[in-house]
Amino acid sequence: MQKTHSDTWLIMALNAAGVVAAYLLLGLSLYKSVDVPLATKGYWGMGIVLLTLSLINLVKYRFDTRASEDRIQRIEDAKHEKLLEEFISDDK
């Protein structure tokens, strides 16, 4: 089976850089804000981590669902092709 090359590496790299920059800026703003108590900063931090985990799971499950649907469609296409080949070979 041949591995296909994805041309979206630049978009993915830019998105990853954006996520890293957002986390760095958010962490810096939480670190520098002196008016906010440490407990509140921790609560915000936990919320951000849990939101990130939820988004990762959401994307993973969407990819899994799409891959499963594609796999089922390929199996059905192969079955239909085999039925057509048998039909054509029976006519001769």
Side-chain angles (χ1 to χ4, degrees), residues 41-78:
K41 291 179 185 181
Y43 184 74
W44 288 347
M46 286 188 301
I48 293 165
V49 169
L50 292 174
L51 176 63
T52 302
L53 290 173
S54 297
L55 290 173
I56 289 170
N57 283 329
L58 175 71
V59 170
K60 179 201 174 295
Y61 286 127
R62 288 194 58 173
F63 279 138
D64 288 349
T65 302
R66 182 174 290 166
S68 175
E69 290 171 355
D70 288 345
R71 209 172 302 121
I72 291 170
Q73 185 63 39
R74 281 187 277 149
I75 290 170
E76 289 179 359
D77 289 344

Side-chain angles (χ1 to χ4, degrees), residues 7-23:
D7 293 329
T8 61
W9 67 269
L10 180 61
I11 294 171
M12 291 176 61
L14 286 173
N15 284 328
V19 169
V20 169
Y23 279 124

Side-chain angles (χ1 to χ4, degrees), residues 72-90:
I72 291 170
Q73 185 63 39
R74 281 187 277 149
I75 290 170
E76 289 179 359
D77 289 344
K79 183 174 75 170
H80 291 293
E81 185 175 335
K82 183 172 173 76
L83 287 172
L84 284 173
E85 286 177 2
E86 289 176 357
F87 179 75
I88 291 172
S89 65
D90 288 342

Side-chain angles (χ1 to χ4, degrees), residues 30 33-41 44:
L30 284 175
S33 62
V34 292
D35 296 334
V36 179
L38 185 59
T40 305
K41 291 179 185 181
W44 288 347

